Amino acid sequence: MEPFLKQIAAFLYHRHGDDINRVSVIFPGRRSGVFFNAYLNELVEKPVLGPEVITINELISQMSGMQISDQISLILLLHKIYMQETGHLEELDEFYFWGEILLNDFNDLDKYLIDAHDLFRNISDLKEIDRLFDYLTPGQKHAIEMFWGNVGKAGSSVNREKFLNIWTKLLVIYDRYRKELLEKGMGYSGLIYRDLVGRIAGNPDFPLSSEHYYFAGFNALNACENKLFRWFKSSGKGDFFWDYDERFVSDPSHEAGFFIRKNLVEFSPPAGFNPDEGQRIKQQVKVVSVPGQVAQAQVVNQKQFLSDSGGLASFDDAALVLADESLLIPVISVAGGRFRNINITMGYPLKDTPVFGLIGLLIGLQKNYRKMDGEDMFYHRPVLAILNHQLLAGEDSRALVQEIYRQNKIYVRATDLKSNELNNLIFSRQENWRSAAAYFMEIIRALAIQIQGAEEEPVRLESEFLYQTFLVLQRLTGVLERYEKENISLSLFYRIFIQHLQHISVPFEGEPLSGLQVMGVLETRTLDFKKLVIFSVNEGKFPRSVPAHSFIPYNLRKAFGLPAREEQDAIYAYYFYRLIHRAEEITLVYDSSSDGLNTGEMSRYLFQLQYDSSMDPEFFHLNFDFKASSVQPISIDGNKQHLHKLLDQYSGNKLSPSALNTYLDCKLKFYFRHIARIKETDELQEDVDPRLFGNLFHHAAEIIYSSFRGNRQVTKDDLKTAATNANLIGGAVHKAFGLEYYKDKELKDVKISGKNILIAENLMTYLVKMLQNDMAFAPFSIIDLESNYEADFSIGADEKGPKIRLGGIVDRIDLTAKGIRIIDYKTGRNLNLKFRDFSEFYEHGKKNRPKEIFQTLVYSEIYTRCKGVQPIFPSIYKIDEFFGDEFHPEVRRNGNMVDYREIADEFRQSLHLLFEEIFSGQDLYEQTSDIDKCRTCPYNKICRRI
C-alpha cells in the first residue's frame, strides 16, 4: 500500500505542478514534513520550489504574530496574581507545582473555548442548573449536578471550605491573568490559539502568506483547531487530508475512529483524494511476549520477527517504535550489531546521561551541607558519589575516597576535599540561586576544558552533553534575572533546573532518510512503514496511563467537553491502528514479567487484534533460559607456596589470636584474608553496628580506667565516685565517638544525634554498671589498658625450627589480691564462657565454639612468655551479664575458676598442634559448615552461599 504522505505528495503535485510553492502543508509534527518532502522529491522531474511545510503550532505563531512565553515567566506572573486575589501568602516554592497545574487548566479552557464564567461558577442551588445551563445536554447537566451534589454532602470540612474559597477566585484569577499577559505581549499556547480564532472570526480577508493551505494527518481537534479549520474551509483557502483505516471508521463502537468519524463529516477531503482505495494487503502480525523490560530489545536480533530480505533500501522500509522511550539504549545497542544505518529521530534524553547524573549529585551535595565546629561540612554519600563519578574519577579522587573510608568521615570538611582547582570549586557552599547558577556554569566549563585534550571518540558525546546542559542553564539564568524582585529560593532553582534538563534531548547526527528508523509513538503520526516492531505494547504503556493533575474535577471536565481519560484512550487507539494500517510485517512486543509495578498484562489492543479483528495474529514467547549454575563448594589445596607466604608474613609481623579463631571458624576465610591477602571492602559506618558498638565500648572503657593508672590502688570509693560522675562517663563516650565513629582525633565538639543518642545512652549505662561490678574486685591496680603484647612461638616441637610471632591488643590487665587478671571485653550475645576440654577450642566450624575463652587463654600465654610465670586469671567481661544478681567474669573449666598456671602446659601443647596444622603446607582450605557464619563474612560474595 502506498504511504499516506506519498499519496498526498502525488495528489498535490498533480493538482499544482510547478506552482506547488504557492501552497502550505500543515502537519501535526516535524517528522511528517521530512518524509513528505522526500516523497515529493521522488515525483518532481525538474528543479522546482517546494511548498511551505510547517506544523500547526508554527502556523498559529505565524498567523497570530505571538510566541509562546517560557513556563517560568508564566508561573511567576500567575503566582503574583494568585496571592493578590486569594490573600494566600504562599511561598513560590509551594506554589510552583500548583501553578503548573493551574496553567495547564487555563490552557485547556482556552484551547477548548470554554466559558470560564460558567465553569467556575459556585453553584449553591442545584435547581439553577436547568436555568443557567440550558444549552447543555441532559448528560452534561447530570455530571455537573453529581459533582456539586457530592461537594454539598461533604459537610463543612476545612478542605471543602478551602476548595470552595479557591474555586470562587479562579474566575477572577483567570480573567486578570489573561488580560495582563496580552498587555505584556506574552501568552501560553491556549491563549494564543483563542486570541487568534477570535480575531479571524468573521474576517475572511485575514492576511495569509500562502494561496492555499492543506492540513494533513490530524485526528483529535481541540475547539480552537476546529474553529480554525472551519474558517479555512468557509473561506475556500483550506483542504483536509485524513489518514484512517476504513475498518475502524465504519465501526461506530471502535475507539480509534472516535474523532475521525466527526472530522470526515465536517471537513471532507478534497475530491479525487481517496486514500487506499481498492488496496488491501495481507498482513503478517506477530505478538511476542518477553519476560523482562530490557530483554524486549533482543527481538531485533531475531530474523523471524524483523526480516532483512531486500535490505533497508528506503527510509520507510522498517521502524522500531518505542512506547516506553527508556528502551532507547537497549534497543539501539542490539540493533547496532545487525544494522549498519540507524536513524534515531527521538534524540538522546539528557536525563540518561552522566552529566545529568552529576548535576543531581551536585544538588544533593548542596542540600546535604551543614556547619560543624565553624567549618563547612558535606554529607559523605554525595561526596563519595561525586568523587567516584566517571567525569571526575582520577588519582586525586581515589586518594580522597580512601581517606574518607579510612577515617569513617560521615560528614567531610570542605577543606579536606580541596585537592585541586576543580574540587575546590565543587566542594564550596552556595548561598543563593545566582551563586548556584554560576557554580554549575563554572563546573561545566571546567569539565569541558578538562576533556578537550582527550582523543577518544566518546569524548565528543560527553562534550555535547555538557554543551546542552550549559545552554539550558544559560537560558534559565537569563529568564530568572528578569524577575529580581521575586523570592526565588535555592530549592526552587534546583527544581526548575532539573525539570528543564529532563525535557532536553540531545539530537543525534545522521541521515534522517536512510536505514532503520527508531522513534517514539508521537513521532509516527502520518508515517507508514513496511516492517514495524512496536515495543512495550503493555497495558499502561500503550495506551499510556498518565494521571491528569487538574483543579477541574473529572465530572466538570466531562460536562464542559474538556479532554478526559476516554479521549486520551481514543487518541492512542488511533495512533496504534493507523500505524499498523499499511504495514506488511508487524511485530508487537510486550513485557510478560510481573514484578514491581509491572503487571505483565498485554495491551487491550493486542486482545482486540486477537478476538475482534481479521488479522489473526500469531503468538510467540521469547524466553531466555538462563539457568543459574548451582553453587559449588570452594576448597583450595595447601602447598609449599602458601606455607612460605605465611612464614614470611608472620615471622616478623604478629599473627593475632583472632586470626587463629578465623582459621578455626572457616579455613577458606583464613586463606582469603591471610594468604591471598584479599582486602575487605571499605564501608562507612553510618549506623552503629555490633562491631562498631564494641569498639566504642572498648575506647570509652579505656578512657575511664586510664584515670586509675599509676602505682595506686583503685578502691571501691574510687569506682563509686567514677560511676556517679556523669561528666566523666559522658565525656568518655563522646571521645569514643570522635575516635571510632568519626575517626577524628582533632574533633573537639563531638555531636551525637539521631539514633546514636540512644546508642550513647546504652553505652553509658553499661559503663556505669561495669564500674559498679568492679567494686567486688577492689582494691586492684591497673597494669595496662588496650596494650599490645606479642611473643615468639615455635611451629613444631623443635625450638630451633621456624618461629612465628603471635600477639594482639589486650583490653585490660589489672592486679588483684589473688593475682593478675587478663580481661577481654565482649559486647556480643550468646557467648559460651565455659569449657571442659581443650579439644572444644579446635572443632572446626562448630556452633558456639568457646572462641572467646580460647582467645583469652592465648593472651594469657603471651603475657606469661613476656612477664614470666605468675598467677593469671583469664576473665571475660560479657556486657549482657552486667545486670545479673552476681557478676562472675572469670573463665571456668568444669565449673572451677581457671588459674592459667595450672593449665598452661596442656594448653601450650594443644596450641602447638594447631600451629603444626596451619603451617603444614598440606592443609585443605575449605568452607565452614555453619552457614550462619557466612552472613556477616566480608567474602560471602565470593562463596555465594547466601
Side-chain angles (χ1 to χ4, degrees):
M1 296 175 71
E2 287 288 321
F4 173 66
L5 294 178
K6 191 171 186 177
Q7 295 178 55
I8 295 175
F11 181 87
L12 294 182
Y13 188 61
H14 175 75
R15 172 180 279 195
H16 296 281
D18 294 347
D19 293 330
I20 198 171
N21 63 300
R22 296 182 178 181
V23 305
S24 292
V25 187
I26 318 301
F27 293 110
R30 292 182 181 276
R31 182 62 44 182
S32 305
V34 175
F35 276 50
F36 171 79
N37 283 327
Y39 290 127
L40 187 61
N41 286 336
E42 294 174 0
L43 299 173
V44 297
E45 300 173 350
K46 61 181 181 179
V48 296
L49 291 175
E52 179 187 43
V53 179
I54 57 175
T55 65
I56 184 68
N57 287 333
E58 290 169 336
L59 174 66
I60 297 296
S61 293
Q62 184 185 100
M63 293 178 66
S64 67
M66 295 177 65
Q67 295 292 331
I68 298 175
S69 302
D70 62 90
Q71 178 108 333
I72 301 172
S73 299
L74 291 170
I75 291 179
L76 288 174
L77 177 60
L78 183 57
H79 177 239
K80 183 187 76 172
I81 295 173
Y82 173 85
M83 286 197 303
Q84 291 174 353
E85 296 297 337
T86 63
H88 298 166
L89 301 178
E90 290 191 44
E91 294 293 333
L92 184 56
D93 290 35
E94 299 174 0
F95 176 80
Y96 197 90
F97 172 74
W98 303 110
E100 290 175 312
I101 296 174
L102 200 54
L103 185 58
N104 287 334
D105 284 343
F106 289 170
N107 192 55
D108 284 345
L109 290 184
D110 284 341
K111 280 189 174 180
Y112 286 86
L113 300 175
I114 302 300
D115 187 332
H117 293 71
D118 285 348
L119 177 64
F120 293 132
R121 186 183 298 274
N122 180 16
I123 299 180
S124 57
D125 187 353
L126 296 180
K127 293 180 180 179
E128 292 188 42
I129 291 177
D130 290 332
R131 180 176 62 82
L132 294 172
F133 301 118
D134 58 342
Y135 58 89
L136 298 179
T137 66
Q140 290 175 317
K141 291 179 182 179
H142 179 66
I144 296 175
E145 187 174 15
M146 282 183 63
F147 169 70
W148 285 111
N150 290 332
V151 171
K153 295 172 185 176
S156 58
S157 69
V158 175
N159 289 336
R160 173 182 177 273
E161 294 301 324
K162 186 174 182 181
F163 171 79
L164 291 174
N165 183 37
I166 294 176
W167 185 266
T168 57
K169 297 292 184 181
L170 285 181
L171 177 60
V172 179
I173 295 171
Y174 170 79
D175 284 340
R176 181 178 164 189
Y177 185 51
R178 293 185 80 256
K179 180 181 177 182
E180 291 196 22
L181 283 174
L182 290 171
E183 289 175 353
K184 296 175 182 288
M186 300 168 60
Y188 49 88
S189 61
L191 183 148
I192 296 173
Y193 269 64
R194 191 167 197 165
D195 180 67
L196 173 64
V197 298
R199 284 193 281 138
I200 65 173
N203 183 10
D205 299 323
F206 192 88
L208 298 171
S209 59
S210 294
E211 292 180 1
H212 204 80
Y213 288 78
Y214 293 94
F215 298 85
F218 289 86
N219 175 39
L221 303 179
N222 59 53
C224 284
E225 289 170 338
N226 183 276
K227 201 166 185 177
L228 181 69
F229 281 24
R230 278 192 273 129
W231 181 86
F232 273 101
K233 178 183 177 181
S234 62
S235 63
K237 298 176 182 178
D239 279 302
F240 312 92
F241 300 106
W242 306 102
D243 186 12
Y244 58 91
D245 182 344
E246 185 62 39
R247 287 172 290 192
F248 67 68
V249 171
S250 58
D251 182 357
S253 64
H254 204 301
E255 60 183 350
F258 180 79
F259 296 104
I260 288 294
R261 285 189 287 271
K262 301 176 185 177
N263 296 334
L264 286 172
V265 172
E266 193 168 4
F267 307 105
S268 56
F273 182 77
N274 298 302
D276 307 337
E277 186 178 22
Q279 298 186 52
R280 279 286 176 234
I281 60 170
K282 181 169 178 57
Q283 296 176 299
Q284 296 180 356
V285 182
K286 299 173 182 178
V287 177
V288 186
S289 68
V290 182
Q293 172 72 352
V294 175
Q296 293 179 80
Q298 293 303 321
V299 169
V300 180
N301 266 337
Q302 311 293 319
K303 292 187 178 181
Q304 61 175 324
F305 302 129
L306 180 59
S307 66
D308 54 7
S309 57
L312 300 178
S314 177
F315 59 87
D316 59 0
D317 275 345
L320 307 179
V321 180
L322 311 181
D324 182 354
E325 296 186 0
S326 66
L327 276 177
L328 176 62
I329 299 305
V331 166
I332 62 176
S333 298
V334 175
R338 183 178 170 193
F339 296 94
R340 184 177 182 83
N341 295 322
I342 301 176
N343 178 49
I344 305 169
T345 66
M346 55 202 296
Y348 188 81
L350 189 63
K351 63 184 176 63
D352 293 335
T353 67
V355 174
F356 180 84
L358 179 60
I359 295 297
L361 293 175
L362 292 172
I363 291 174
L365 178 79
Q366 294 296 326
K367 287 183 175 180
N368 286 281
Y369 158 88
R370 70 168 51 175
K371 201 85 168 175
M372 292 176 67
D373 298 330
E375 294 194 65
D376 292 337
M377 309 279 277
F378 294 103
Y379 186 52
H380 73 277
R381 290 190 186 278
V383 170
L384 291 172
I386 289 169
L387 293 174
N388 287 318
H389 193 276
Q390 63 195 76
L391 294 176
L392 294 167
E395 289 299 325
D396 283 354
S397 294
R398 280 191 287 273
L400 288 172
V401 169
Q402 291 173 3
E403 183 68 11
I404 291 170
Y405 277 119
R406 188 179 66 81
Q407 295 193 2
N408 199 59
K409 295 182 177 179
I410 307 302
Y411 278 89
V412 191
R413 292 188 185 93
T415 53
D416 294 341
L417 293 165
K418 298 180 178 181
S419 58
N420 54 51
E421 289 186 11
L422 182 56
N423 283 352
N424 193 39
L425 175 62
I426 289 173
F427 299 107
S428 58
R429 169 66 173 159
Q430 305 308 310
E431 300 290 345
N432 55 63
W433 77 264
R434 291 178 181 279
S435 68
Y439 167 80
F440 288 118
M441 285 185 177
E442 287 302 317
I443 291 173
I444 293 170
R445 187 179 289 112
L447 287 172
I449 294 172
Q450 180 174 294
I451 66 176
Q452 270 183 347
E455 298 179 358
E456 293 83 355
E457 189 68 19
V459 168
R460 293 176 55 192
L461 196 58
E462 298 296 343
S463 297
E464 183 65 22
F465 297 154
L466 288 168
Y467 175 68
Q468 293 292 338
T469 305
F470 189 85
L471 286 182
V472 170
L473 187 58
Q474 206 171 39
R475 292 192 207 104
L476 177 60
T477 304
V479 171
L480 293 179
E481 283 179 343
R482 298 202 300 267
Y483 298 91
E484 294 184 9
K485 296 180 181 179
E486 297 290 340
N487 184 22
I488 298 170
S489 66
L490 255 179
S491 60
L492 179 60
F493 171 75
Y494 292 147
R495 175 182 171 180
I496 297 173
F497 185 28
I498 287 293
Q499 194 176 60
H500 276 53
L501 292 178
Q502 287 174 333
H503 293 103
I504 298 297
S505 290
V506 181
F508 287 94
E509 292 183 6
E511 174 51 54
L513 295 173
S514 68
L516 181 69
Q517 305 288 322
V518 181
M519 55 183 58
V521 172
L522 292 180
E523 294 169 300
T524 66
R525 290 175 295 180
T526 74
L527 308 184
D528 296 298
F529 300 92
K530 294 177 183 176
K531 302 169 187 177
L532 274 175
V533 180
I534 308 179
F535 295 92
S536 297
V537 192
N538 285 80
E539 193 66 22
K541 295 287 181 66
F542 201 176
R544 180 170 296 176
S545 177
V546 180
H549 298 293
S550 175
F551 277 104
I552 306 172
Y554 173 79
N555 282 34
L556 293 186
R557 294 187 74 89
K558 286 292 292 180
F560 283 88
L562 289 170
R565 182 180 61 254
E566 293 84 355
E567 286 76 12
Q568 186 75 6
D569 289 347
I571 290 171
Y572 271 91
Y574 172 78
Y575 290 156
F576 176 77
Y577 284 101
R578 189 221 63 79
L579 177 60
I580 68 173
H581 171 40
R582 298 182 183 86
E584 297 172 6
E585 298 178 16
I586 305 165
T587 299
L588 307 168
V589 190
Y590 73 96
D591 174 12
S592 61
S593 64
S594 54
D595 59 314
L597 297 177
N598 184 39
T599 62
E601 181 183 1
M602 64 182 187
S603 169
R604 69 189 73 170
Y605 305 144
L606 301 186
F607 285 109
Q608 290 168 6
L609 291 180
Q610 183 180 8
Y611 299 112
D612 192 28
S613 78
S614 59
M615 288 188 174
D616 191 24
E618 189 176 0
F619 284 78
F620 297 85
H621 180 68
L622 188 61
N623 190 22
F624 302 98
D625 192 14
F626 296 116
K627 290 185 178 179
S629 58
S630 59
V631 179
Q632 299 297 321
I634 301 175
S635 62
I636 300 170
D637 292 325
N639 54 45
K640 294 296 182 184
Q641 186 179 3
H642 296 154
L643 173 60
H644 293 316
K645 280 188 175 182
L646 284 171
L647 289 174
D648 290 345
Q649 178 67 25
Y650 296 114
S651 59
N653 299 319
K654 64 181 179 183
L655 182 68
S656 67
S658 61
L660 300 180
N661 269 325
T662 298
Y663 177 83
L664 293 167
D665 283 340
C666 178
K667 290 184 180 182
L668 188 63
K669 181 178 180 180
F670 180 85
Y671 172 84
F672 288 148
R673 179 176 288 169
H674 298 286
I675 299 177
R677 309 288 291 173
I678 299 175
K679 293 184 66 176
E680 298 177 17
T681 305
D682 288 330
E683 290 184 1
L684 277 172
Q685 296 293 328
E686 189 169 357
D687 293 323
V688 177
D689 61 7
R691 183 190 63 82
L692 181 54
F693 183 86
N695 292 343
L696 290 169
F697 182 86
H698 279 68
H699 273 289
E702 179 189 4
I703 292 168
I704 292 171
Y705 280 87
S706 62
S707 62
F708 301 136
R709 297 184 72 164
N711 297 321
R712 74 180 187 88
Q713 292 282 314
V714 181
T715 65
K716 289 184 179 181
D717 289 340
D718 293 330
L719 294 168
K720 185 176 181 179
T721 300
T724 55
N725 189 340
N727 290 333
L728 174 65
I729 307 295
V733 170
H734 275 69
K735 286 180 183 178
F737 264 92
L739 291 167
E740 275 298 321
Y741 186 78
Y742 294 108
K743 302 290 185 181
D744 193 340
K745 296 178 181 178
E746 299 177 3
L747 196 59
K748 297 176 182 177
D749 185 15
V750 178
K751 291 182 174 62
I752 300 176
S753 59
K755 292 184 290 185
N756 290 343
I757 294 175
L758 298 176
I759 300 294
E761 289 178 354
N762 283 339
L763 282 170
M764 287 188 278
T765 301
Y766 284 125
L767 291 167
V768 168
K769 192 60 182 176
M770 182 171 67
L771 288 166
Q772 292 172 348
N773 287 336
D774 271 342
M775 293 180 190
F777 307 100
F780 60 84
S781 57
I782 301 294
I783 296 176
D784 253 326
L785 295 169
E786 300 292 338
S787 296
N788 181 56
Y789 285 85
E790 53 190 69
D792 291 334
F793 287 76
S794 297
I795 291 177
D798 186 2
E799 291 293 331
K800 296 182 180 179
K803 296 181 182 296
I804 61 159
R805 181 160 284 269
L806 189 63
I809 295 175
V810 182
D811 294 339
R812 178 172 139 200
I813 304 175
D814 61 28
L815 178 61
T816 67
K818 294 181 179 180
I820 290 173
R821 293 195 306 167
I822 303 290
I823 298 175
D824 199 12
Y825 300 138
K826 293 300 178 185
T827 55
R829 298 288 185 266
N830 301 319
L831 306 182
N832 185 2
L833 302 185
K834 298 177 182 180
F835 76 105
R836 294 181 179 179
D837 191 75
F838 293 113
S839 61
E840 296 175 35
F841 299 147
Y842 308 107
E843 294 177 295
H844 287 280
K846 183 183 178 182
K847 283 183 181 290
N848 295 323
R849 183 177 63 84
K851 58 184 180 181
E852 292 78 16
I853 297 176
F854 172 74
Q855 184 170 325
T856 310
L857 294 179
V858 172
Y859 283 134
S860 299
E861 174 61 24
I862 294 172
Y863 190 81
T864 298
R865 294 188 178 219
C866 292
K867 302 296 184 179
V869 178
Q870 51 194 308
I872 295 176
F873 298 94
S875 302
I876 297 176
Y877 273 41
K878 185 182 175 187
I879 67 170
D880 62 354
E881 292 186 351
F882 281 1
F883 297 91
D885 293 335
E886 294 183 356
F887 180 61
H888 297 290
E890 304 88 355
V891 171
R892 295 178 179 274
R893 184 182 186 185
N894 295 322
N896 299 316
M897 189 170 65
V898 170
D899 181 343
Y900 184 70
R901 293 175 301 175
E902 298 172 359
I903 64 168
D905 291 339
E906 192 178 356
F907 178 69
R908 207 171 288 134
Q909 290 174 11
S910 70
L911 197 58
H912 279 298
L913 291 175
L914 176 62
F915 291 150
E916 287 179 356
E917 180 183 341
I918 295 174
F919 294 93
S920 65
Q922 299 175 349
D923 204 356
L924 178 66
Y925 301 101
E926 55 189 350
Q927 295 164 309
T928 178
S929 58
D930 184 1
I931 300 295
D932 288 337
K933 288 185 170 67
C934 301
R935 301 190 188 283
T936 56
C937 176
Y939 306 104
N940 54 24
K941 288 184 173 57
I942 300 175
C943 298
R944 298 188 300 158
R945 296 183 76 186
I946 58 169

